[in-house]
Amino acid sequence: MENERYTYNKAEKLKSQKAIEQLFTEGKSVSAYPLRLVYLKTDSNLKAGVSVSKRNFKRAVDRIRIKRLMREAYRLNKNMLLNNNRSNYSFMILYNSKDMPDFNFMDTKMKALFTKFLAQ
């Protein structure tokens, strides 16, 4: 637990359009409502992205708020993945609800999602 790093820097962000398309075509998924994790084993280090449906949240401010909460919950809990040698994956975390979450709810659900992923 000594070298835990609570960061989410540029190198960890999933940005490549090609990688995202490959993730959705070849990847597997696991859900812990309202979050869904699409994942794919890769050669590179851990990369993650977050997404919120425009259909469920019309206002950009709401989508941005939820994405911030998701990124923060990911940042604080990603050590669960690193400590279990799951560092060569690409992740996309999707929010599938119409309700506006708060941080405690998002943090709890992110932990549940990662626990479910690690159980596979």
Side-chain angles (χ1 to χ4, degrees):
M1 280 196 116
E2 236 174 68
N3 54 353
E4 286 185 3
R5 292 184 43 125
Y6 297 103
T7 61
Y8 184 53
N9 57 29
K10 193 173 182 179
E12 296 174 53
K13 292 186 174 130
L14 182 63
K15 291 185 170 192
S16 162
Q17 190 66 44
K18 201 172 175 184
I20 293 170
E21 284 174 15
Q22 183 183 16
L23 180 66
F24 281 105
T25 54
E26 300 172 25
K28 297 179 180 121
S29 76
V30 62
S31 292
Y33 186 80
L35 299 177
R36 185 168 146 237
L37 176 71
V38 180
Y39 62 94
L40 184 66
K41 194 156 181 59
T42 59
D43 299 331
S44 63
N45 287 339
L46 185 68
K47 288 191 178 279
V50 296
S51 179
V52 179
S53 172
K54 198 175 196 177
R55 182 187 298 164
N56 293 341
F57 293 93
K58 303 285 186 230
R59 293 174 38 199
V61 290
D62 293 336
R63 290 193 303 274
I64 292 167
R65 169 90 179 135
I66 294 168
K67 286 197 263 186
R68 281 185 183 158
L69 291 173
M70 289 168 69
R71 281 192 290 262
E72 183 66 4
Y74 168 79
R75 184 183 74 81
L76 294 173
N77 294 308
K78 75 173 183 183
N79 285 313
M80 289 172 69
L81 304 170
L82 297 173
N83 293 341
N84 287 291
N85 296 325
R86 298 291 180 108
S87 57
N88 291 347
Y89 279 88
S90 289
F91 295 119
M92 181 62 82
I93 304 165
L94 309 163
Y95 185 76
N96 295 322
S97 176
K98 294 185 180 192
D99 304 322
M100 182 61 101
D102 66 342
F103 179 72
N104 291 330
F105 175 78
M106 188 65 75
D107 192 48
T108 306
K109 291 299 180 177
M110 193 68 72
K111 285 177 184 164
L113 187 67
F114 287 164
T115 304
K116 223 170 174 182
F117 169 71
L118 292 170
Q120 292 189 344

